[in-house]
Amino acid sequence: MVREIDHDSFEIDDVTYVIRELVWNGIDGRSYDLHRVADDVVLTEDKSFNAYPTNAQVAEVLTRHGVDVELEVCVFCEDDVLLATAHRHGRGWVGDSCCWDERLRATE
């Protein structure tokens, strides 16, 4: 492995998690792991993701580790979003990772 890149962290029930991208020497592919930040435990264990994971994939891993996770649908792009990281907008939810931007932050 050449380097690790931590992507935006997120919290569920006051526990911080991060998707860590692993860049490997001599190959073009990358892998992605879900880490619990406090103790740097790799929750994806021996099965890293081959592409940046979807919120549904993250929720599946967290559920396997006993974390109560809920998914909602983003009102703009209709992707699954982690409820813990989504924002209420009108009668629905907007995903922090997909559609939440500065313009919407101003409406809070």
Side-chain angles (χ1 to χ4, degrees), residues 9 13 21 30 33 37 42 49 54 58 67 71 76 79-80 84 87 104-105:
S9 61
D13 295 332
E21 181 178 355
R30 296 175 181 218
D33 286 321
V37 173
V42 180
F49 298 106
T54 65
V58 169
V67 179
L71 290 172
F76 294 120
D79 281 349
D80 288 330
H87 301 271
L104 291 173
R105 281 182 181 87

Side-chain angles (χ1 to χ4, degrees), residues 1-5 21-25 27 29-31:
M1 179 177 50
V2 176
R3 65 187 164 126
E4 299 176 345
I5 303 166
E21 181 178 355
L22 306 175
V23 181
W24 298 94
N25 194 17
I27 61 172
R30 296 175 181 218
S31 58

Side-chain angles (χ1 to χ4, degrees), residues 56-74:
Q57 290 172 312
V58 169
E60 182 181 325
V61 171
L62 290 170
T63 299
R64 279 197 319 260
H65 287 275
V67 179
D68 187 23
V69 182
E70 294 182 58
L71 290 172
E72 285 291 338
V73 175
C74 177

Side-chain angles (χ1 to χ4, degrees), residues 90-105:
R91 295 179 182 229
W93 296 93
V94 178
D96 196 32
S97 60
C98 54
C99 296
W100 192 249
D101 61 15
E102 291 302 321
R103 180 179 53 87
L104 291 173
R105 281 182 181 87

